[in-house]
Amino acid sequence: MRLTMSLGVIGCSLLAAAEYTLNVKVYNTSAVDKGSIYLAPHTGPASGPYVFDQQGKILYSITNRLGNVFDFQPCTYQKTLRYCLFTTGSANIAKGYGNGTASIYDDKFQLIKALPTSDYHEFKIQQSLDTATGAVNDIALLTLYNPVRRDLSQFGVANEEDQGWVIDCRLRALDPTSGKILFDWSALDHVPLSESLVQPTGAINGRSADFAWDYFHLDSIARLYNGDFIVSSRHTSTVYRISGKDGSILWRLGGKSSTFQLQGFQFSSQHDVRVIKDSGSIMKLSMFDNAYNTFTPPQGDSSGKIIELDTATNTARLVQQYNPPPGESGFQSGDGGSLQLLPRGNVFICWGSTPYVTEHTADGLLVYSANYAVIGSSVSSYRAFKAPYTGITNPK
């Protein structure tokens, strides 16, 4: 028997070591996809990686030992099921970035690989087919946030040396085993500062390295089969296709200079942009649309979106939108969030700074909803995933 002490927060309890619980509010057992829920609540009293079953029972957790944890998920590394996550003790929520370590764990949750220091916004291992040899190789995708000097006088920023500081967001692809860098891309080399929709002010005022202006804010990376990349920039509200050959920008979706005409919809401050389909002139993307900004009129609640692009006509249309649970409020998520397509066609959504996860059928019907903290608390999970759980053999 385990004794609990209420923390006064829905979905939280204090055990021998504090742990979050998943408060299930909607559960259509015949309509949900199979799988367990991978969460990594951070900034709260029980930060760490968690695996829950769909009833809300904890299957595995490590609390208060790894610092702030992001992107906890099962991954494939060297053709074997592993667990990937990013840990940082320096995440600065006010600034929205933080350096740390991308790590790979085995089925005993023992560390088997730690990659070079990077930023927490992306850590994915994708597989790439070498067409010459037929070998399938692992590629790790990482974000880096580096403060550098720049003339920011046109933005009203100057210091004693007449130069300001700006964050150079970098996309890096590397071999996770050898550490060899396979591709490195700098936002500053390709995206002008004038594309930013966030001005240098407050914690990102650009007047020192510690307060560098985060003009771009790279928050997701996906690699296409042909080697190109899809990247998402929160602070330009733009999705970019980047050439994997020379780093040039092939097109923009959204923001100030969109290549595509958005037909009857908009998005802003988006996260977790993924490629669903890439065939000829048609590309289909998924994203979590935060709809959270101070530079356009309020767009209402955040949502999940499926968007189809036609590069022949340079048009973009909304295929499907996934809305918050009916009757709930407070679902305009200020940061984070993810959308995952499940094997049976359902969609699993993490609502970022709104501490909920939901599942929807392909046509938008809500079939699962659960929270792990109250809306408005400091607790959130950057992303969440639903996937099979075969068991971590190392006891808690």
Side-chain angles (χ1 to χ4, degrees):
M1 178 178 179
R2 297 190 297 180
L3 299 178
T4 65
M5 179 184 298
S6 173
L7 291 177
V9 178
I10 296 173
C12 294
S13 61
L14 186 64
L15 306 177
E19 291 178 325
Y20 292 104
T21 58
L22 200 59
N23 176 34
V24 179
K25 308 183 82 169
V26 175
Y27 184 18
N28 184 334
T29 56
S30 63
V32 297
D33 212 332
K34 295 179 180 179
S36 299
I37 296 168
Y38 293 74
L39 273 172
H42 59 86
T43 71
S47 297
Y50 289 76
V51 184
F52 294 94
D53 67 16
Q54 297 192 93
Q55 290 78 27
K57 177 185 175 182
I58 295 176
L59 302 177
Y60 189 80
S61 69
I62 296 178
T63 59
N64 296 320
R65 284 169 36 198
L66 298 176
N68 289 304
V69 174
F70 299 82
D71 243 7
F72 173 51
Q73 60 187 295
C75 58
T76 299
Y77 174 58
Q78 297 181 340
K79 302 179 182 180
T80 304
L81 175 65
R82 302 300 189 189
Y83 298 94
C84 289
L85 56 80
F86 189 93
T87 57
T88 175
S90 62
N92 189 314
I93 302 305
K95 298 176 186 177
Y97 57 89
N99 288 334
T101 303
S103 302
I104 305 171
Y105 290 80
D106 65 13
D107 60 354
K108 297 180 175 59
F109 216 76
Q110 300 297 309
L111 180 65
I112 58 174
K113 191 69 179 179
L115 302 181
T117 299
S118 57
D119 168 77
Y120 65 76
H121 281 90
E122 187 68 281
F123 173 38
K124 283 280 188 295
I125 296 180
Q126 290 188 205
Q127 280 66 49
S128 174
L129 176 65
D130 187 327
T131 55
T133 65
V136 177
N137 301 314
D138 295 325
I139 297 179
L141 304 176
L142 301 166
T143 53
L144 289 83
Y145 279 48
N146 298 325
V148 298
R149 303 301 297 270
R150 279 294 186 278
D151 180 358
L152 301 181
S153 56
Q154 64 175 310
F155 302 98
V157 176
N159 57 24
E160 65 278 3
E161 298 178 8
D162 294 325
Q163 278 199 323
W165 290 84
V166 65
I167 294 293
D168 182 18
C169 286
R170 305 188 76 94
L171 175 171
R172 182 161 291 174
L174 54 79
D175 181 329
T177 301
S178 68
K180 179 182 178 181
I181 296 174
L182 306 174
F183 186 80
D184 187 69
W185 180 85
S186 160
L188 274 177
D189 288 345
H190 298 278
V191 181
L193 298 174
S194 58
E195 280 194 35
S196 185
L197 295 165
V198 174
Q199 295 304 304
T201 185
I204 54 170
N205 60 35
R207 299 186 183 278
S208 70
D210 288 339
F211 291 85
W213 177 27
D214 182 11
Y215 92 105
F216 192 76
H217 199 92
L218 173 60
D219 61 40
S220 72
I221 307 167
R223 186 177 183 274
L224 302 177
Y225 288 114
N226 74 344
D228 290 347
F229 296 86
I230 301 295
V231 302
S232 170
S233 162
R234 170 191 169 108
H235 285 174
T236 67
S237 285
T238 304
V239 179
Y240 301 83
R241 180 167 181 163
I242 306 301
S243 168
K245 296 178 180 178
D246 60 14
S248 62
I249 296 173
L250 302 178
W251 51 247
R252 292 165 166 85
L253 173 67
K256 292 182 178 180
S257 304
S258 183
T259 306
F260 300 89
Q261 179 185 7
L262 278 62
Q263 300 183 328
F265 75 99
Q266 59 181 331
F267 61 87
S268 65
S269 301
Q270 75 288 338
H271 284 75
D272 198 40
V273 178
R274 304 297 167 192
V275 179
I276 302 171
K277 177 183 179 181
D278 183 17
S279 177
S281 66
I282 302 299
M283 176 175 285
K284 194 175 289 187
L285 302 174
S286 66
M287 71 165 59
F288 182 77
D289 174 16
N290 293 77
Y292 185 90
N293 59 65
T294 58
F295 40 86
T296 60
Q299 299 176 36
D301 285 333
S302 303
S303 63
K305 283 183 166 66
I306 306 295
I307 298 167
E308 184 177 89
L309 312 181
D310 188 336
T311 57
T313 61
N314 284 344
T315 55
R317 69 180 185 92
L318 181 65
V319 176
Q320 185 65 52
Q321 180 166 306
Y322 301 95
N323 295 315
E328 299 280 3
S329 60
F331 273 77
Q332 192 179 60
S333 176
D335 58 78
S338 59
L339 186 155
Q340 176 191 7
L341 265 65
L342 300 175
R344 287 173 45 188
N346 283 4
V347 167
F348 185 72
I349 296 177
C350 167
W351 293 86
S353 60
T354 301
Y356 268 69
V357 292
T358 59
E359 184 174 337
H360 310 252
T361 60
D363 59 2
L365 177 67
L366 179 73
V367 294
Y368 187 86
S369 175
N371 68 300
Y372 51 93
V374 291
I375 292 176
S377 69
S378 64
V379 180
S380 65
S381 185
Y382 177 61
R383 292 174 181 156
F385 301 89
K386 189 173 186 181
Y389 177 70
T390 57
I392 295 172
T393 58
N394 185 34
K396 293 198 307 177

